[in-house]
Amino acid sequence: MNEFELIARYFGSSHHGADVLLGVGDDAAVLDVPAGYKLVAAVDTIVEGIHFPLNSNAGDIAWRALAVNLSDIAAMGAIPKWFTLSLCIPQVDESWLKEFAESLNHLAAQFNVQLVGGDTVKGPLNISVQIMGLVEQDQWLTRSGAKAGDLVYVSGAPGEAAGGLQLLLHPELQISQGEQVHSSYLINRFLKPQPRVELGRLLRPFANACMDVSDGLLGDLRKLCAASECGAMLRLEQLPRSASLAAIFDEDRSEQLMLCGGDDYELLFTVAPSNISQVTQAASSCAVPCTCIGMINQSNELRDVKCFRNNHEVHVSVNGFDHFA
Amino acid sequence: MNEFELIARYFGSSHHGADVLLGVGDDAAVLDVPAGYKLVAAVDTIVEGIHFPLNSNAGDIAWRALAVNLSDIAAMGAIPKWFTLSLCIPQVDESWLKEFAESLNHLAAQFNVQLVGGDTVKGPLNISVQIMGLVEQDQWLTRSGAKAGDLVYVSGAPGEAAGGLQLLLHPELQISQGEQVHSSYLINRFLKPQPRVELGRLLRPFANACMDVSDGLLGDLRKLCAASECGAMLRLEQLPRSASLAAIFDEDRSEQLMLCGGDDYELLFTVAPSNISQVTQAASSCAVPCTCIGMINQSNELRDVKCFRNNHEVHVSVNGFDHFA
């Protein structure tokens, strides 16, 4: 099977919606952006040994490659529509490709996004997805819209994915029979991130700022503050505690995972206090818990995020994930 | 310098046109597709040792990464507008990055395309560019539009880039003083592909089919025929002969490079015979020679490209470039 047959066989044949005027197989795809909408575009690349452990299975890799991109679209409050795939693989392994394509197609169907182009090259495993979406004119979410007095919210339970990764990387950890269910849950939270697309859409009309949490809650909140030119006060006792994290890790380790673990792909957003009830409604409507974890305050010192526990300031030193640190 | 500073420093600060509503630095870019236009999107990835020799300089790598994508947009007859960059590098080397960014920015400025997003990750060198462009409604070029009786044209002089690569890979080849100018020319043709964007725009109103030649003229013509469900007759004596190729390689080798060498990034297109004068006009208007090299004929056997030399059929066995062959 050569490169061209390979692309056609696994990635070329899916049915296209009416908004795909020309799909996989030509030099480029041609896509229809309807009037009243703006185009939203992002790229995220995952590499073996950095974003997922060596010898991860193909289905999990495909899921992650697309999910992290869907998460970027979610953070903008946009509707995911199309994506391109650049797949760099060391050799053609049909069973690997089949598993990869099945998982990719499954997640794509779940979010109604269409693969419209791709490139398959030979080399060390590296998967780059570029995603395109649509958002209503002048109504996208950004990192830079937070205002003093805004409440800071996070969706889901940050730290669970990082806990799952610890369990994957340290099979020597002793897990009791009773803890197995929590261990499996955490590992699945790492392997199968759930992009918060529906939540992003619901938040779009009223949130002031939004981003996805991928490099650790604390570090990402600092980035949001830097972009918004403000500071924030984080109330550690308000952080959503995961029962599964608590079952396996002690309190300090759980909190560290919550604050500094990566790979959450939850939404971190800020809203004016007058919009609290809208957050509650959005969270319940898409069945994703959202927790108020602090407040935005004016700050002369950019990125200044102060952590408090029961009104006492505490120092948290660890930064978010940085590939080149 | 961490990952975030790195992106900001080298790739984050360029001025954006009015069509970039939100640029580098948020979770995604927001872009304006004007009414009457469709979005054109493609991705191409280049990997060290496959698409460029080991130890290539950073400027040449950046040029190639963007140029091959611009070439895809050219093949559609579209206007390149925006791109995202996924840069996977083994370590942070500031002088490498500076050279990479300068070359990328130079080519981007030349074609008026804007970097709107990126991802920088650590790993084996791999550069993926996703390009977006615009094309007038219902007026893009495809591979699949060739009709029986169409004349087949190619721009430029295919084989020159492949000749340049041979010279790069075989420094032991004896090049005489008089051949130096040709050698340098061919190497530059490999290192700095010139995307035929202007030509693509000029061909758009009247060409029936178009693609870019990246994997070898003969193999790519087969792909065009397969997509158009037709065959073609290629007249070898009509192939545009490069003086520089002829100065360094013998006739057989030159012809093999012309037919089967990769990395040309020229346009291969078909037009109805009534449009010959329009081709001449387009070629002269953008100063890119276009040569008629054959004809499209009806064929029951797909991809059937027959080669003739002075009306005698000849067999050419070598296929185009295939990463996994």
Side-chain angles (χ1 to χ4, degrees), chain B residues 180-200:
Chain B
Q180 286 290 356
V181 59
H182 296 293
S183 167
S184 304
Y185 175 79
L186 293 177
I187 288 172
N188 191 56
R189 292 284 290 139
F190 173 77
L191 293 178
K192 295 278 194 292
Q194 299 295 327
R196 303 304 190 190
V197 172
E198 194 183 349
L199 178 62

Side-chain angles (χ1 to χ4, degrees), chain A residues 22-272:
Chain A
L22 186 66
V24 173
D26 218 294
D27 288 278
V30 182
L31 308 166
D32 188 32
V33 173
Y37 286 86
K38 299 300 172 190
L39 175 66
V40 177
V43 62
D44 254 321
T45 299
I46 61 172
V47 174
E48 190 171 44
I50 302 276
H51 303 92
F52 54 91
L54 294 174
N55 303 316
S56 293
N57 81 57
D60 292 335
I61 296 171
W63 183 286
R64 174 168 302 275
L66 181 54
V68 302
N69 277 279
L70 288 166
S71 182
D72 283 328
I73 295 291
M76 306 299 289
I79 310 162
K81 295 297 288 181
W82 314 292
F83 68 104
T84 62
L85 168 70
S86 166
L87 182 59
C88 184
I89 47 180
Q91 72 277 317
V92 172
D93 173 337
E94 287 212 39
S95 71
W96 191 95
L97 276 171
K98 188 163 176 287
E99 194 186 328
F100 184 93
E102 276 174 5
S103 174
L104 191 78
N105 293 339
H106 178 89
L107 187 62
Q110 185 183 326
F111 285 91
N112 202 22
V113 285
Q114 299 168 82
L115 179 68
V116 296
D119 191 20
T120 315
V121 298
K122 188 174 177 173
L125 193 56
N126 175 310
I127 300 102
S128 185
V129 167
Q130 186 214 18
I131 197 153
M132 290 164 279
L134 299 174
V135 72
E136 291 79 358
Q137 205 159 322
D138 302 324
Q139 293 189 33
W140 53 88
L141 298 174
T142 67
R143 299 178 176 194
S144 57
K147 293 182 175 58
D150 275 5
L151 298 174
V152 178
Y153 280 82
V154 71
S155 66
E160 288 185 335
L165 178 59
Q166 287 307 309
L167 291 165
L168 273 179
L169 295 178
H170 300 286
E172 76 279 9
L173 285 176
Q174 297 291 324
I175 304 295
S176 74
Q177 192 87 25
E179 292 166 354
Q180 286 290 357
V181 59
H182 296 294
S183 166
S184 304
Y185 175 80
L186 294 177
I187 288 173
N188 192 56
R189 292 285 290 140
F190 173 77
L191 293 179
K192 295 277 194 294
Q194 299 295 326
R196 302 305 190 189
V197 172
E198 195 184 348
L199 178 62
R201 291 293 294 159
L202 293 166
L203 297 175
R204 185 190 55 77
F206 65 88
N208 283 337
C210 187
M211 72 181 292
D212 73 330
V213 185
S214 54
D215 297 327
L217 180 60
L218 187 55
D220 284 342
L221 180 55
R222 286 203 179 103
K223 284 180 230 166
L224 186 145
C225 286
S228 296
E229 302 190 357
C230 64
M233 184 187 300
L234 191 59
R235 298 200 172 277
L236 301 183
E237 76 280 7
Q238 290 180 204
L239 289 174
R241 308 270 153 176
S242 156
S244 295
L245 273 184
I248 294 186
F249 299 97
D250 67 27
E251 214 174 299
D252 279 2
R253 189 80 180 104
S254 291
E255 190 168 277
Q256 195 196 21
L257 290 167
M258 269 191 282
L259 289 171
C260 307
D263 300 308
D264 292 312
Y265 300 104
E266 297 293 347
L267 294 185
L268 177 67
F269 57 97
T270 82
V271 302

Side-chain angles (χ1 to χ4, degrees), chain B residues 273-300:
Chain B
S274 57
N275 286 321
I276 296 182
S277 66
Q278 295 204 56
V279 176
T280 313
Q281 214 172 341
S284 124
S285 155
C286 65
V288 176
C290 293
T291 311
C292 179
I293 57 172
M295 205 176 85
I296 297 291
N297 49 22
Q298 214 92 47
S299 166
N300 292 325

Side-chain angles (χ1 to χ4, degrees), chain A residues 2-3 26-27 29-32 38-41 44-45 50 86 119 122 130 142-143 211-212 322, chain B residues 2-3 26-27 29-32 38-41 44-45 50 86 119 122 130 142-143 211-212 223 322:
Chain A
N2 71 23
E3 179 186 359
D26 218 294
D27 288 278
V30 182
L31 308 166
D32 188 32
K38 299 300 172 190
L39 175 66
V40 177
D44 254 321
T45 299
I50 302 276
S86 166
D119 191 20
K122 188 174 177 173
Q130 186 214 18
T142 67
R143 299 178 176 194
M211 72 181 292
D212 73 330
D322 178 357
Chain B
N2 72 22
E3 179 186 0
D26 218 293
D27 288 277
V30 183
L31 308 166
D32 189 30
K38 300 300 171 189
L39 175 66
V40 177
D44 255 321
T45 299
I50 303 276
S86 167
D119 191 19
K122 188 174 178 174
Q130 306 77 23
T142 66
R143 298 178 174 194
M211 71 181 293
D212 72 331
K223 284 180 230 165
D322 178 356

Side-chain angles (χ1 to χ4, degrees), chain B residues 25-99:
Chain B
D26 218 293
D27 288 277
V30 183
L31 308 166
D32 189 30
V33 174
Y37 286 86
K38 300 300 171 189
L39 175 66
V40 177
V43 62
D44 255 321
T45 299
I46 61 172
V47 174
E48 190 171 43
I50 303 276
H51 303 92
F52 54 90
L54 294 174
N55 303 316
S56 293
N57 81 57
D60 292 334
I61 297 171
W63 183 285
R64 175 168 301 275
L66 182 54
V68 301
N69 277 279
L70 287 166
S71 182
D72 283 328
I73 294 292
M76 306 298 290
I79 310 162
K81 294 297 288 181
W82 313 293
F83 69 103
T84 62
L85 168 70
S86 167
L87 183 58
C88 184
I89 47 180
Q91 71 276 316
V92 172
D93 172 338
E94 288 212 39
S95 72
W96 191 96
L97 275 172
K98 188 164 176 287
E99 194 187 328

